[in-house]
């Protein structure tokens, strides 16, 4: 429940692999009736299912159907595929053309005149935003649940943009654990690259002094920083 979605569902997941290359298996199923905001339009979820079955990386198969109403037109959004190959389709109860539906969603007004047709295989801005939105919500659901199950003090899955210009190019995984009252360790990695990782050790020397040791695997460097807090 946040500023872009109010969703409920069930999570049935388990993790395999190593800390450097964890893989998720299982499903996240959304209950019908949940709501999400996309491009200033509120959608009601009719069906939502994320299936994690890729043994090589975290890449769920998405099946989402949601509906909204714009100027008395009923519009259905269907998302299907994986995060990297997500197919976003819009349809309306009144049989509007794709360009008419996109005009309604983007401006709230009906399309006037001629519009540009989509080339075969072309990804529109709406496709990109839809995949980014769903990736963010899926990551939030998984992070909260897995962090609770395994007792991590911090657990995050952050979708990363694709360098080729696609919507999602991978994920970044962060786990954190408090070793003692004064010592906290954070490990961040890209599951697709064993050399891309960051280890951060925070040692609270006093209420105002913090030592931070950082190990960057990609750059093969170490760094030591001291943070001193002063209130004015």
């Amino acid at each position: 429940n946040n500023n872009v979605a109010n969703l409920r569902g069930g999570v049935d997941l388990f993790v395999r692999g190593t800390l450097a290359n964890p893989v998720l298996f299982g499903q996240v199923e959304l209950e019908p009736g949940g709501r999400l905001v996309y491009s200033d339009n509120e959608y009601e979820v009719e069906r939502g299912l994320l299936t994690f079955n890729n043994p090589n990386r975290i890449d769920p198969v998405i099946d989402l159907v949601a509906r909204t109403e714009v100027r008395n037109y009923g519009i259905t959004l269907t998302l299907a595929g994986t995060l990297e190959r997500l197919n976003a389709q819009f349809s309306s109860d009144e049989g509007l053309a794709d360009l008419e539906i996109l005009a309604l969603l983007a401006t709230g007004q009906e399309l006037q005149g001629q519009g540009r047709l989509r080339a075969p295989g072309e990804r529109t801005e709406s496709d990109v935003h839809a995949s980014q939105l769903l990736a963010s919500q899926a990551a939030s659901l998984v992070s909260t649940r897995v962090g609770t199950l395994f007792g991590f003090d911090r657990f995050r899955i952050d979708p990363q943009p694709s360098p080729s210009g696609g919507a999602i190019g991978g994920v970044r995984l962060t786990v954190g654990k408090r070793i003692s009252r004064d010592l906290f360790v954070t490990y961040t990695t890209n599951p697709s690259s064993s050399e891309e990782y960051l280890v951060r050790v925070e040692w609270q020397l006093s209420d105002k002094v913090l030592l931070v040791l950082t190990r960057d695997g990609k750059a093969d460097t170490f760094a030591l920083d001291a943070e001193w807090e002063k209130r004015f």
Side-chain angles (χ1 to χ4, degrees), residues 4-27:
V4 296
N6 186 353
L7 303 171
R8 292 181 180 273
V11 180
D12 184 12
L13 296 172
F14 59 94
V15 182
R16 286 183 175 174
T18 64
L19 185 61
N21 188 28
V23 180
L24 281 176
F25 292 93
Q27 291 184 333

Side-chain angles (χ1 to χ4, degrees), residues 38 86 88 123-133 165-168:
Y38 166 53
L86 188 63
R123 289 177 60 85
T124 67
E125 185 177 355
S126 64
D127 296 336
V128 174
H129 287 328
S131 62
Q132 289 175 338
L133 170 65
I168 301 297

Side-chain angles (χ1 to χ4, degrees), residues 156-167:
R156 289 187 57 184
I157 300 175
D158 298 308
Q160 301 296 305
S162 172
S164 61

Side-chain angles (χ1 to χ4, degrees), residues 33-89:
R35 297 186 178 274
L36 57 88
V37 177
Y38 166 53
S39 295
D40 297 325
N41 295 297
E42 185 177 86
Y43 290 80
E44 180 176 340
V45 175
E46 293 189 341
R47 182 180 73 243
L49 182 66
L50 294 94
T51 303
F52 295 81
N53 57 11
N54 190 327
N56 300 314
R57 57 179 175 172
I58 301 174
D59 190 23
V61 177
I62 299 160
D63 177 18
L64 176 72
V65 177
R67 287 179 58 83
T68 189
E69 186 173 305
V70 181
R71 296 180 63 88
N72 296 323
Y73 290 98
I75 298 175
T76 299
L77 165 66
T78 302
L79 297 176
T82 64
L83 295 176
E84 291 187 353
R85 299 179 179 272
L86 188 63
N87 181 26
Q89 294 184 345

